[in-house]
Amino acid sequence: QVQLVESGGGLVQPGGSLRLSCAASGSGFSIDAMGWYRQAPGKQRELVAIITSGGTTNYADAVKGRFTISRDNAKNTAYLQMNGLKPEDTAVYYCNARGWSSTRVSFNSWGQGTQVTVSS
């Protein structure tokens, strides 16, 4: 089982910045892609950004130009740099990873989520 742990959430004022991290732990796995999703109260979970093992990225229109996703393959860690935060960015942010185990069994794992609150 691949475990994902997010960190870096918190309370920030509009226009501020925050950096989220997601560390994958375990053994005998290979991650194909990692992504960040978010869910606001009463809303469906939505994609924020994804990054493949090759470095290809994709962003939701709402965060383009403000958020940057990156990863350190050697550390099995993904990051989300969030700049110019807006109140509408307030949500629980979840990390996702998909890939294959050493026994060639696919997995799709989720972290526990980290709260991001943007408020003056």
Side-chain angles (χ1 to χ4, degrees):
Q1 180 75 22
V2 176
Q3 304 291 323
L4 302 178
V5 179
E6 303 101 328
S7 62
L11 175 64
V12 65
Q13 293 185 331
S17 297
L18 213 56
R19 183 178 175 86
L20 307 182
S21 64
C22 173
S25 63
S27 62
F29 65 88
S30 178
I31 296 176
D32 176 67
M34 300 185 76
W36 289 95
Y37 295 73
R38 67 186 182 186
Q39 186 168 22
K43 304 291 185 178
Q44 294 185 339
R45 187 172 300 184
E46 63 180 3
L47 173 71
V48 177
I50 57 173
I51 184 167
T52 69
S53 60
T56 300
T57 60
N58 194 21
Y59 297 90
D61 289 341
V63 307
K64 286 182 179 178
R66 299 188 297 120
F67 292 8
T68 302
I69 188 171
S70 61
R71 66 182 294 176
D72 185 332
N73 290 335
K75 297 181 179 180
N76 287 319
T77 301
Y79 306 91
L80 186 68
Q81 180 65 46
M82 310 164 69
N83 298 327
L85 284 163
K86 305 174 181 179
E88 66 188 63
D89 295 319
T90 296
V92 177
Y93 284 70
Y94 297 91
C95 180
N96 171 262
R98 64 174 186 265
W100 293 265
S101 71
S102 60
T103 57
R104 303 178 68 180
V105 177
S106 65
F107 65 84
N108 187 354
S109 298
W110 292 89
Q112 82 286 353
T114 184
Q115 177 70 48
V116 172
T117 302
V118 185
S119 179
S120 61

